Amino acid sequence: MMRVKSGECVSEGSSLTHSLIDFLYIRKTRSTMIVAKDILKKCKKLVIIAGHQTRGVGRRGRTWSSPPGGLWFSLVLKLHIPAHVVPFLSLAMALSVAEALRSKGLNAWIKWPNDVVVDGKKICGVLADVKISHENIAYTILGVGINTNFYLRNLPTELQNTAVTVFEILGFKLDNIELLDEVMHRFEKYIAYLKNEFVHVIRKEMEKILYGKDEEVVAICEKGVFKGILKGIGLSGSLLLETKDGIKEIESSSLKKLLVKTLHSF
Ligand code: BTN
């Protein structure tokens, strides 16, 4: 397996590249999302990996704590796929991460829309920055943060009850580049489906490892709070809830928080 060194741009054809994606490793940066935006014009497909981020960004403008040891990366893609497939890009990434973590022995589940959890605690988050022009995607930047090789105590105190790391679960470190390889391998497969608009494949695979499926959940959304049984993923990548008034579709853009009923919650 090829190792990606600090500051090195690994060229096309390395053993990491399933379909010739360049990888750029930066030891320390503010955020790989910023780097990705800066070099967007110069590349078609690129993965930017950071050893450590000082100003990591999360969904809904939150900060993302990214200490050394984690796997922090942004994937730049310029794909020709129709706009209605867009929500499935980040879902496909979350699915790929969950499957890759499972291949390493973790009991990982997808918490809709873009989180991966183990024992209900967050181990990965996915962030999408998508630009659409003329009904097509001009570019996509998917930011992925996986809590791999560090102690929970290296995260802010307020996250220590809701997050988890690979190292804390397995008791040993995973090779981040090998894990990235596992993720990208799966993601490439799902992208091929999306290019053909086969979103049902992603929906079906997600539903197999969807956290809270067939359980009672509460979706706190911009336009209200909805309670129901989580039934699966809708045609647009939405969440399907069986409420007392029938099936309710929740769009990820409107979701603030999803609470899943477990023995310890609610
Ligand atoms: C979330 O809020 O759940 C999404 C978190 C995404 C974090 C990743 S880490 C790599 C990339 N760079 C960033 O600054 N954010 C994303």
PDB file of all heavy atoms in Angstrom, residues 130-158:
ATOM      1  N   VAL A 130     -22.289  21.653  -2.649  1.00  0.00           N
ATOM      2  CA  VAL A 130     -22.598  21.310  -4.043  1.00  0.00           C
ATOM      3  C   VAL A 130     -23.010  22.558  -4.802  1.00  0.00           C
ATOM      4  O   VAL A 130     -23.840  23.339  -4.328  1.00  0.00           O
ATOM      5  CB  VAL A 130     -23.753  20.274  -4.123  1.00  0.00           C
ATOM      6  CG1 VAL A 130     -24.003  19.848  -5.559  1.00  0.00           C
ATOM      7  CG2 VAL A 130     -23.442  19.062  -3.277  1.00  0.00           C
ATOM      8  N   LYS A 131     -22.425  22.740  -5.974  1.00  0.00           N
ATOM      9  CA  LYS A 131     -22.836  23.882  -6.804  1.00  0.00           C
ATOM     10  C   LYS A 131     -23.548  23.339  -8.033  1.00  0.00           C
ATOM     11  O   LYS A 131     -23.009  22.510  -8.781  1.00  0.00           O
ATOM     12  CB  LYS A 131     -21.591  24.680  -7.193  1.00  0.00           C
ATOM     13  CG  LYS A 131     -21.831  25.729  -8.244  1.00  0.00           C
ATOM     14  CD  LYS A 131     -21.450  27.107  -7.725  1.00  0.00           C
ATOM     15  CE  LYS A 131     -21.524  28.158  -8.814  1.00  0.00           C
ATOM     16  NZ  LYS A 131     -22.825  28.662  -9.074  1.00  0.00           N
ATOM     17  N   ILE A 132     -24.781  23.830  -8.228  1.00  0.00           N
ATOM     18  CA  ILE A 132     -25.567  23.359  -9.374  1.00  0.00           C
ATOM     19  C   ILE A 132     -25.683  24.481 -10.393  1.00  0.00           C
ATOM     20  O   ILE A 132     -25.946  25.631 -10.032  1.00  0.00           O
ATOM     21  CB  ILE A 132     -26.962  22.912  -8.917  1.00  0.00           C
ATOM     22  CG1 ILE A 132     -26.820  21.738  -7.943  1.00  0.00           C
ATOM     23  CG2 ILE A 132     -27.844  22.510 -10.090  1.00  0.00           C
ATOM     24  CD1 ILE A 132     -28.093  21.308  -7.292  1.00  0.00           C
ATOM     25  N   SER A 133     -25.431  24.135 -11.664  1.00  0.00           N
ATOM     26  CA  SER A 133     -25.704  25.142 -12.689  1.00  0.00           C
ATOM     27  C   SER A 133     -26.404  24.460 -13.866  1.00  0.00           C
ATOM     28  O   SER A 133     -26.021  23.364 -14.275  1.00  0.00           O
ATOM     29  CB  SER A 133     -24.411  25.846 -13.118  1.00  0.00           C
ATOM     30  OG  SER A 133     -23.753  25.153 -14.106  1.00  0.00           O
ATOM     31  N   HIS A 134     -27.432  25.090 -14.371  1.00  0.00           N
ATOM     32  CA  HIS A 134     -28.256  24.548 -15.458  1.00  0.00           C
ATOM     33  C   HIS A 134     -28.715  23.119 -15.183  1.00  0.00           C
ATOM     34  O   HIS A 134     -28.508  22.219 -15.997  1.00  0.00           O
ATOM     35  CB  HIS A 134     -27.503  24.595 -16.791  1.00  0.00           C
ATOM     36  CG  HIS A 134     -27.016  25.962 -17.118  1.00  0.00           C
ATOM     37  ND1 HIS A 134     -25.687  26.279 -17.112  1.00  0.00           N
ATOM     38  CD2 HIS A 134     -27.679  27.090 -17.395  1.00  0.00           C
ATOM     39  CE1 HIS A 134     -25.551  27.553 -17.409  1.00  0.00           C
ATOM     40  NE2 HIS A 134     -26.756  28.077 -17.581  1.00  0.00           N
ATOM     41  N   GLU A 135     -29.300  22.919 -14.005  1.00  0.00           N
ATOM     42  CA  GLU A 135     -29.864  21.611 -13.647  1.00  0.00           C
ATOM     43  C   GLU A 135     -28.817  20.508 -13.515  1.00  0.00           C
ATOM     44  O   GLU A 135     -29.141  19.349 -13.340  1.00  0.00           O
ATOM     45  CB  GLU A 135     -30.937  21.150 -14.676  1.00  0.00           C
ATOM     46  CG  GLU A 135     -32.195  21.970 -14.656  1.00  0.00           C
ATOM     47  CD  GLU A 135     -32.932  21.863 -13.319  1.00  0.00           C
ATOM     48  OE1 GLU A 135     -33.303  20.758 -12.945  1.00  0.00           O
ATOM     49  OE2 GLU A 135     -33.115  22.911 -12.672  1.00  0.00           O
ATOM     50  N   ASN A 136     -27.531  20.867 -13.650  1.00  0.00           N
ATOM     51  CA  ASN A 136     -26.483  19.865 -13.489  1.00  0.00           C
ATOM     52  C   ASN A 136     -25.525  20.288 -12.393  1.00  0.00           C
ATOM     53  O   ASN A 136     -25.454  21.463 -12.043  1.00  0.00           O
ATOM     54  CB  ASN A 136     -25.709  19.679 -14.799  1.00  0.00           C
ATOM     55  CG  ASN A 136     -26.348  18.610 -15.652  1.00  0.00           C
ATOM     56  OD1 ASN A 136     -26.395  17.442 -15.275  1.00  0.00           O
ATOM     57  ND2 ASN A 136     -26.866  19.029 -16.786  1.00  0.00           N
ATOM     58  N   ILE A 137     -24.767  19.333 -11.893  1.00  0.00           N
ATOM     59  CA  ILE A 137     -23.825  19.657 -10.827  1.00  0.00           C
ATOM     60  C   ILE A 137     -22.549  20.221 -11.430  1.00  0.00           C
ATOM     61  O   ILE A 137     -21.916  19.578 -12.278  1.00  0.00           O
ATOM     62  CB  ILE A 137     -23.498  18.402 -10.004  1.00  0.00           C
ATOM     63  CG1 ILE A 137     -24.786  17.827  -9.416  1.00  0.00           C
ATOM     64  CG2 ILE A 137     -22.509  18.714  -8.901  1.00  0.00           C
ATOM     65  CD1 ILE A 137     -24.595  16.551  -8.652  1.00  0.00           C
ATOM     66  N   ALA A 138     -22.172  21.430 -11.013  1.00  0.00           N
ATOM     67  CA  ALA A 138     -20.924  22.024 -11.498  1.00  0.00           C
ATOM     68  C   ALA A 138     -19.750  21.433 -10.727  1.00  0.00           C
ATOM     69  O   ALA A 138     -18.737  21.055 -11.300  1.00  0.00           O
ATOM     70  CB  ALA A 138     -20.971  23.534 -11.327  1.00  0.00           C
ATOM     71  N   TYR A 139     -19.901  21.374  -9.417  1.00  0.00           N
ATOM     72  CA  TYR A 139     -18.889  20.690  -8.611  1.00  0.00           C
ATOM     73  C   TYR A 139     -19.501  20.217  -7.305  1.00  0.00           C
ATOM     74  O   TYR A 139     -20.545  20.717  -6.866  1.00  0.00           O
ATOM     75  CB  TYR A 139     -17.675  21.590  -8.333  1.00  0.00           C
ATOM     76  CG  TYR A 139     -17.938  22.728  -7.368  1.00  0.00           C
ATOM     77  CD1 TYR A 139     -17.984  22.509  -5.992  1.00  0.00           C
ATOM     78  CD2 TYR A 139     -18.127  24.018  -7.833  1.00  0.00           C
ATOM     79  CE1 TYR A 139     -18.219  23.546  -5.108  1.00  0.00           C
ATOM     80  CE2 TYR A 139     -18.365  25.065  -6.946  1.00  0.00           C
ATOM     81  CZ  TYR A 139     -18.414  24.808  -5.582  1.00  0.00           C
ATOM     82  OH  TYR A 139     -18.661  25.832  -4.712  1.00  0.00           O
ATOM     83  N   THR A 140     -18.843  19.266  -6.694  1.00  0.00           N
ATOM     84  CA  THR A 140     -19.237  18.777  -5.380  1.00  0.00           C
ATOM     85  C   THR A 140     -17.991  18.705  -4.527  1.00  0.00           C
ATOM     86  O   THR A 140     -16.957  18.209  -4.989  1.00  0.00           O
ATOM     87  CB  THR A 140     -19.774  17.323  -5.469  1.00  0.00           C
ATOM     88  OG1 THR A 140     -20.825  17.287  -6.410  1.00  0.00           O
ATOM     89  CG2 THR A 140     -20.279  16.824  -4.138  1.00  0.00           C
ATOM     90  N   ILE A 141     -18.083  19.210  -3.317  1.00  0.00           N
ATOM     91  CA  ILE A 141     -17.006  18.950  -2.359  1.00  0.00           C
ATOM     92  C   ILE A 141     -17.649  18.212  -1.180  1.00  0.00           C
ATOM     93  O   ILE A 141     -18.582  18.720  -0.560  1.00  0.00           O
ATOM     94  CB  ILE A 141     -16.343  20.245  -1.847  1.00  0.00           C
ATOM     95  CG1 ILE A 141     -15.811  21.081  -3.013  1.00  0.00           C
ATOM     96  CG2 ILE A 141     -15.196  19.904  -0.886  1.00  0.00           C
ATOM     97  CD1 ILE A 141     -15.288  22.458  -2.607  1.00  0.00           C
ATOM     98  N   LEU A 142     -17.199  17.000  -0.948  1.00  0.00           N
ATOM     99  CA  LEU A 142     -17.704  16.243   0.193  1.00  0.00           C
ATOM    100  C   LEU A 142     -16.637  16.250   1.279  1.00  0.00           C
ATOM    101  O   LEU A 142     -15.506  15.806   1.045  1.00  0.00           O
ATOM    102  CB  LEU A 142     -18.020  14.802  -0.206  1.00  0.00           C
ATOM    103  CG  LEU A 142     -19.212  14.592  -1.143  1.00  0.00           C
ATOM    104  CD1 LEU A 142     -19.347  13.115  -1.499  1.00  0.00           C
ATOM    105  CD2 LEU A 142     -20.509  15.089  -0.498  1.00  0.00           C
ATOM    106  N   GLY A 143     -16.974  16.781   2.427  1.00  0.00           N
ATOM    107  CA  GLY A 143     -16.029  16.804   3.550  1.00  0.00           C
ATOM    108  C   GLY A 143     -16.373  15.666   4.497  1.00  0.00           C
ATOM    109  O   GLY A 143     -17.535  15.499   4.874  1.00  0.00           O
ATOM    110  N   VAL A 144     -15.376  14.888   4.845  1.00  0.00           N
ATOM    111  CA  VAL A 144     -15.619  13.713   5.678  1.00  0.00           C
ATOM    112  C   VAL A 144     -14.677  13.736   6.886  1.00  0.00           C
ATOM    113  O   VAL A 144     -13.465  13.894   6.728  1.00  0.00           O
ATOM    114  CB  VAL A 144     -15.385  12.410   4.866  1.00  0.00           C
ATOM    115  CG1 VAL A 144     -15.722  11.185   5.713  1.00  0.00           C
ATOM    116  CG2 VAL A 144     -16.190  12.423   3.577  1.00  0.00           C
ATOM    117  N   GLY A 145     -15.261  13.610   8.055  1.00  0.00           N
ATOM    118  CA  GLY A 145     -14.449  13.556   9.268  1.00  0.00           C
ATOM    119  C   GLY A 145     -14.706  12.245   9.986  1.00  0.00           C
ATOM    120  O   GLY A 145     -15.842  11.957  10.362  1.00  0.00           O
ATOM    121  N   ILE A 146     -13.671  11.433  10.150  1.00  0.00           N
ATOM    122  CA  ILE A 146     -13.832  10.156  10.858  1.00  0.00           C
ATOM    123  C   ILE A 146     -12.936  10.170  12.092  1.00  0.00           C
ATOM    124  O   ILE A 146     -11.719  10.393  12.001  1.00  0.00           O
ATOM    125  CB  ILE A 146     -13.483   8.941   9.958  1.00  0.00           C
ATOM    126  CG1 ILE A 146     -14.145   9.059   8.572  1.00  0.00           C
ATOM    127  CG2 ILE A 146     -13.891   7.636  10.643  1.00  0.00           C
ATOM    128  CD1 ILE A 146     -13.851   7.905   7.620  1.00  0.00           C
ATOM    129  N   ASN A 147     -13.561   9.943  13.237  1.00  0.00           N
ATOM    130  CA  ASN A 147     -12.812   9.902  14.501  1.00  0.00           C
ATOM    131  C   ASN A 147     -12.094   8.567  14.583  1.00  0.00           C
ATOM    132  O   ASN A 147     -12.673   7.577  15.037  1.00  0.00           O
ATOM    133  CB  ASN A 147     -13.773  10.037  15.695  1.00  0.00           C
ATOM    134  CG  ASN A 147     -14.527  11.346  15.703  1.00  0.00           C
ATOM    135  OD1 ASN A 147     -14.094  12.329  15.095  1.00  0.00           O
ATOM    136  ND2 ASN A 147     -15.658  11.369  16.388  1.00  0.00           N
ATOM    137  N   THR A 148     -10.872   8.536  14.152  1.00  0.00           N
ATOM    138  CA  THR A 148     -10.172   7.244  14.139  1.00  0.00           C
ATOM    139  C   THR A 148      -9.229   7.100  15.328  1.00  0.00           C
ATOM    140  O   THR A 148      -9.625   6.605  16.378  1.00  0.00           O
ATOM    141  CB  THR A 148      -9.437   7.007  12.798  1.00  0.00           C
ATOM    142  OG1 THR A 148      -8.668   8.162  12.474  1.00  0.00           O
ATOM    143  CG2 THR A 148     -10.402   6.705  11.687  1.00  0.00           C
ATOM    144  N   ASN A 149      -7.978   7.579  15.158  1.00  0.00           N
ATOM    145  CA  ASN A 149      -6.922   7.187  16.092  1.00  0.00           C
ATOM    146  C   ASN A 149      -6.581   8.239  17.148  1.00  0.00           C
ATOM    147  O   ASN A 149      -5.480   8.769  17.167  1.00  0.00           O
ATOM    148  CB  ASN A 149      -5.665   6.859  15.283  1.00  0.00           C
ATOM    149  CG  ASN A 149      -5.964   5.825  14.208  1.00  0.00           C
ATOM    150  OD1 ASN A 149      -6.709   4.878  14.444  1.00  0.00           O
ATOM    151  ND2 ASN A 149      -5.411   6.012  13.026  1.00  0.00           N
ATOM    152  N   PHE A 150      -7.518   8.529  18.002  1.00  0.00           N
ATOM    153  CA  PHE A 150      -7.212   9.431  19.121  1.00  0.00           C
ATOM    154  C   PHE A 150      -8.155   9.126  20.279  1.00  0.00           C
ATOM    155  O   PHE A 150      -9.167   8.445  20.116  1.00  0.00           O
ATOM    156  CB  PHE A 150      -7.279  10.911  18.705  1.00  0.00           C
ATOM    157  CG  PHE A 150      -8.595  11.360  18.135  1.00  0.00           C
ATOM    158  CD1 PHE A 150      -9.610  11.819  18.960  1.00  0.00           C
ATOM    159  CD2 PHE A 150      -8.831  11.325  16.761  1.00  0.00           C
ATOM    160  CE1 PHE A 150     -10.827  12.234  18.430  1.00  0.00           C
ATOM    161  CE2 PHE A 150     -10.036  11.738  16.219  1.00  0.00           C
ATOM    162  CZ  PHE A 150     -11.039  12.197  17.063  1.00  0.00           C
ATOM    163  N   TYR A 151      -7.778   9.612  21.438  1.00  0.00           N
ATOM    164  CA  TYR A 151      -8.617   9.430  22.626  1.00  0.00           C
ATOM    165  C   TYR A 151      -9.751  10.448  22.625  1.00  0.00           C
ATOM    166  O   TYR A 151      -9.578  11.582  22.180  1.00  0.00           O
ATOM    167  CB  TYR A 151      -7.794   9.637  23.901  1.00  0.00           C
ATOM    168  CG  TYR A 151      -6.825   8.523  24.199  1.00  0.00           C
ATOM    169  CD1 TYR A 151      -5.458   8.684  23.976  1.00  0.00           C
ATOM    170  CD2 TYR A 151      -7.273   7.306  24.726  1.00  0.00           C
ATOM    171  CE1 TYR A 151      -4.564   7.663  24.263  1.00  0.00           C
ATOM    172  CE2 TYR A 151      -6.391   6.279  25.016  1.00  0.00           C
ATOM    173  CZ  TYR A 151      -5.032   6.465  24.779  1.00  0.00           C
ATOM    174  OH  TYR A 151      -4.156   5.454  25.053  1.00  0.00           O
ATOM    175  N   LEU A 152     -10.893  10.017  23.170  1.00  0.00           N
ATOM    176  CA  LEU A 152     -12.051  10.916  23.293  1.00  0.00           C
ATOM    177  C   LEU A 152     -11.705  12.181  24.067  1.00  0.00           C
ATOM    178  O   LEU A 152     -12.247  13.244  23.812  1.00  0.00           O
ATOM    179  CB  LEU A 152     -13.169  10.196  24.051  1.00  0.00           C
ATOM    180  CG  LEU A 152     -14.303   9.591  23.259  1.00  0.00           C
ATOM    181  CD1 LEU A 152     -15.346   9.044  24.207  1.00  0.00           C
ATOM    182  CD2 LEU A 152     -14.936  10.625  22.314  1.00  0.00           C
ATOM    183  N   ARG A 153     -10.781  12.051  25.004  1.00  0.00           N
ATOM    184  CA  ARG A 153     -10.419  13.225  25.816  1.00  0.00           C
ATOM    185  C   ARG A 153      -9.787  14.329  24.973  1.00  0.00           C
ATOM    186  O   ARG A 153      -9.648  15.465  25.428  1.00  0.00           O
ATOM    187  CB  ARG A 153      -9.505  12.828  26.981  1.00  0.00           C
ATOM    188  CG  ARG A 153      -8.184  12.233  26.555  1.00  0.00           C
ATOM    189  CD  ARG A 153      -7.226  12.113  27.753  1.00  0.00           C
ATOM    190  NE  ARG A 153      -5.945  11.599  27.315  1.00  0.00           N
ATOM    191  CZ  ARG A 153      -5.541  10.346  27.468  1.00  0.00           C
ATOM    192  NH1 ARG A 153      -6.314   9.473  28.081  1.00  0.00           N
ATOM    193  NH2 ARG A 153      -4.364   9.972  27.019  1.00  0.00           N
ATOM    194  N   ASN A 154      -9.423  14.020  23.726  1.00  0.00           N
ATOM    195  CA  ASN A 154      -8.881  15.051  22.837  1.00  0.00           C
ATOM    196  C   ASN A 154      -9.973  15.845  22.122  1.00  0.00           C
ATOM    197  O   ASN A 154      -9.679  16.743  21.346  1.00  0.00           O
ATOM    198  CB  ASN A 154      -7.936  14.436  21.798  1.00  0.00           C
ATOM    199  CG  ASN A 154      -6.694  13.866  22.444  1.00  0.00           C
ATOM    200  OD1 ASN A 154      -6.358  14.259  23.554  1.00  0.00           O
ATOM    201  ND2 ASN A 154      -6.038  12.943  21.782  1.00  0.00           N
ATOM    202  N   LEU A 155     -11.230  15.484  22.387  1.00  0.00           N
ATOM    203  CA  LEU A 155     -12.355  16.266  21.853  1.00  0.00           C
ATOM    204  C   LEU A 155     -12.855  17.197  22.958  1.00  0.00           C
ATOM    205  O   LEU A 155     -12.656  16.919  24.144  1.00  0.00           O
ATOM    206  CB  LEU A 155     -13.499  15.345  21.417  1.00  0.00           C
ATOM    207  CG  LEU A 155     -13.275  14.502  20.168  1.00  0.00           C
ATOM    208  CD1 LEU A 155     -14.485  13.609  19.911  1.00  0.00           C
ATOM    209  CD2 LEU A 155     -12.997  15.368  18.941  1.00  0.00           C
ATOM    210  N   PRO A 156     -13.536  18.293  22.592  1.00  0.00           N
ATOM    211  CA  PRO A 156     -14.097  19.165  23.620  1.00  0.00           C
ATOM    212  C   PRO A 156     -15.016  18.381  24.559  1.00  0.00           C
ATOM    213  O   PRO A 156     -15.708  17.444  24.134  1.00  0.00           O
ATOM    214  CB  PRO A 156     -14.898  20.188  22.802  1.00  0.00           C
ATOM    215  CG  PRO A 156     -14.337  20.124  21.430  1.00  0.00           C
ATOM    216  CD  PRO A 156     -13.807  18.751  21.228  1.00  0.00           C
ATOM    217  N   THR A 157     -15.033  18.782  25.823  1.00  0.00           N
ATOM    218  CA  THR A 157     -15.786  18.053  26.860  1.00  0.00           C
ATOM    219  C   THR A 157     -17.231  17.810  26.447  1.00  0.00           C
ATOM    220  O   THR A 157     -17.780  16.724  26.674  1.00  0.00           O
ATOM    221  CB  THR A 157     -15.781  18.875  28.181  1.00  0.00           C
ATOM    222  OG1 THR A 157     -14.524  19.533  28.272  1.00  0.00           O
ATOM    223  CG2 THR A 157     -16.024  18.015  29.386  1.00  0.00           C
ATOM    224  N   GLU A 158     -17.846  18.825  25.826  1.00  0.00           N
ATOM    225  CA  GLU A 158     -19.281  18.698  25.502  1.00  0.00           C
ATOM    226  C   GLU A 158     -19.553  17.626  24.448  1.00  0.00           C
ATOM    227  O   GLU A 158     -20.691  17.206  24.265  1.00  0.00           O
ATOM    228  CB  GLU A 158     -19.873  20.055  25.083  1.00  0.00           C
ATOM    229  CG  GLU A 158     -19.348  20.636  23.791  1.00  0.00           C
ATOM    230  CD  GLU A 158     -18.079  21.485  23.968  1.00  0.00           C
ATOM    231  OE1 GLU A 158     -17.413  21.361  25.015  1.00  0.00           O
ATOM    232  OE2 GLU A 158     -17.757  22.244  23.043  1.00  0.00           O
TER     233      GLU A 158
END
